[in-house]
Amino acid sequence: MKITIIGTGGVGGYFGAKLAKAGHEVTFVARGQHLQAIREKGLLVKSIAGDIHVEQVLATDQITSIERADLVITAVKAWQIKEIREDIQQIIHSESMVLPLQNGVLAAKELSEVIPAENVLGGLCRIISKIESPGVINHFGVEPEIVFGELNKQHNARLDILSALFSEAGIKSKASRDIEADVWKKFISICVSALLAVTKTTYGEMCELKETYQMMTELLQEIYVVSQKAGVNIKPDFIEKTIGFIKSFPYDSTSSLTRDVWAGKPSEIDYQNGTVVRLAEQYGVDVPVNRFIYNCVLPMELKARNRSLKTI
């Protein structure tokens, strides 16, 4: 299968390397020194599950230079989907699958505004990883997994094809019967990332301190209420399970959004807690913790994007 990985960071680099190692024709889209290092030395994944080195790598910084991709996995930041969707449209064919692994709940919808909806799947991944240095990915937490499904909640042959593809590559995966609910479940849990950013804590530190632990619990409960207003099928015990999952993270681990905010880089805050705030307003729900966290990060986000604070 001809596979395109758009965004060769912690997510795209890891899963793309597994697929390439399994013998598929994988083209990686990357930029700058990272792209140069991949072209010169290949792609190295340092992983708690076993290192991977793909020596001969197809890599480019131009999506439109790729010919007829059968599977496109988008692993860029959530806010970059709108920047790449027209280019993706030019490299797919009628049977192509476009699988977004973005954080948030808007990626499939935003892709479908330009790309034929029948080509777009819903998807998410679980992994804690990052670019360690140019050409090197470090996977340091959570058993990697990809969850995918049809937006209309139907099961068909192409989901079986993807299941087999990931299985052969040694990637844990699940074909979801309700990808909307699964995407929302991850969305709820990742919105804790901004709390880490504001409190300057790791997951372990946040869970250790009574005050930040309480904020985390309230933040999650608020988003659950919004999900119910939106008609998403999530059971009431999900928050308790999510807290247990977060407690299992390595003590010193953080998230990509947290690290981006700390580094003064543009982040996914608008696609995480910002989305919660906007949906809460739409459904008439009060989300004081999420609103506080979003408003705290917003000035830093505007500075990172070189926008005037006067626009607030």
Side-chain angles (χ1 to χ4, degrees):
M1 183 177 287
K2 294 184 67 173
I3 302 168
T4 295
I5 305 290
I6 304 180
T8 312
V11 170
Y14 177 86
F15 291 116
K18 295 281 284 186
L19 290 164
K21 208 66 177 175
H24 296 281
E25 182 181 324
V26 181
T27 301
F28 295 86
V29 178
R31 298 179 299 179
Q33 293 182 346
H34 193 43
L35 172 62
Q36 183 178 348
I38 290 171
R39 283 173 167 169
E40 293 175 355
K41 302 177 183 179
L43 181 62
L44 174 62
V45 176
K46 297 180 180 179
S47 171
I48 56 177
D51 294 351
I52 309 164
H53 187 204
V54 185
E55 297 181 5
Q56 300 296 323
V57 180
L58 295 173
T60 180
D61 58 359
Q62 298 293 324
I63 296 172
T64 53
S65 68
I66 301 167
E67 295 182 3
R68 291 179 61 80
D70 301 312
L71 171 64
V72 177
I73 295 177
T74 62
V76 295
K77 298 294 186 182
W79 49 270
Q80 293 175 309
I81 284 291
K82 289 183 178 180
E83 300 175 3
I84 64 172
R85 56 190 181 179
E86 291 185 3
D87 287 347
I88 293 173
Q89 186 184 26
Q90 295 184 48
I91 67 169
I92 61 174
H93 53 81
S94 61
E95 301 299 319
S96 296
M97 294 175 280
V98 180
L99 176 61
L101 299 182
Q102 275 61 45
N103 291 323
V105 294
L106 300 177
K109 176 180 179 293
E110 291 184 347
L111 285 168
S112 298
E113 289 171 353
V114 172
I115 297 167
E118 58 269 22
N119 292 112
V120 180
L121 297 167
L124 63 95
C125 69
R126 298 185 179 95
I127 187 172
I128 299 179
S129 55
K130 64 181 181 180
I131 297 177
E132 180 178 285
S133 60
V136 180
I137 304 298
N138 185 359
H139 161 228
F140 54 95
V142 179
E143 180 183 9
E145 180 182 20
I146 293 176
V147 181
F148 57 93
E150 297 287 354
L151 300 176
N152 62 8
K153 302 181 183 180
Q154 300 298 310
H155 190 90
N156 56 38
R158 69 178 182 177
L159 298 187
D160 295 329
I161 291 171
L162 277 185
S163 292
L165 173 78
F166 293 138
S167 178
E168 291 167 4
I171 297 171
K172 180 182 178 182
S173 69
K174 183 183 85 170
S176 173
R177 293 282 186 171
D178 189 348
I179 192 62
E180 178 190 39
D182 285 324
V183 167
W184 264 87
K185 288 176 181 178
K186 182 184 179 184
F187 175 61
I188 291 172
S189 66
I190 63 166
C191 284
V192 172
S193 303
L195 177 58
L196 300 183
V198 170
T199 57
K200 295 188 176 179
T201 57
T202 66
Y203 280 110
E205 291 168 341
M206 177 190 63
C207 291
E208 197 171 57
L209 184 65
K210 180 180 69 175
E211 288 79 4
T212 50
Y213 181 84
Q214 180 64 31
M215 288 185 73
M216 175 188 71
T217 302
E218 292 174 1
L219 179 149
L220 295 171
Q221 289 286 359
E222 289 176 2
I223 309 173
Y224 175 75
V225 172
V226 174
S227 77
Q228 297 309 285
K229 291 288 187 179
V232 183
N233 182 27
I234 301 177
K235 296 180 180 179
D237 65 350
F238 174 72
I239 297 304
E240 182 180 348
K241 291 179 179 178
T242 298
I243 292 172
F245 180 59
I246 290 173
K247 285 181 176 179
S248 74
F249 292 174
Y251 184 89
D252 291 328
S253 64
T254 56
S255 73
S256 59
L257 180 144
T258 307
R259 295 188 294 272
D260 285 341
V261 172
W262 288 349
K265 297 178 180 178
S267 74
E268 293 181 327
I269 188 65
D270 277 326
Y271 282 83
Q272 294 187 26
N273 306 79
T275 297
V276 175
V277 171
R278 287 188 292 274
L279 288 176
E281 291 175 354
Q282 179 181 331
Y283 294 118
V285 176
D286 191 21
V287 288
V289 176
N290 279 275
R291 187 170 61 251
F292 172 76
I293 296 299
Y294 174 64
N295 290 346
C296 285
V297 175
L298 183 57
M300 293 180 276
E301 183 70 14
L302 292 174
K303 288 179 182 178
R305 295 178 183 275
N306 295 315
R307 289 168 55 188
S308 170
L309 294 183
K310 293 179 181 179
T311 62
I312 296 178

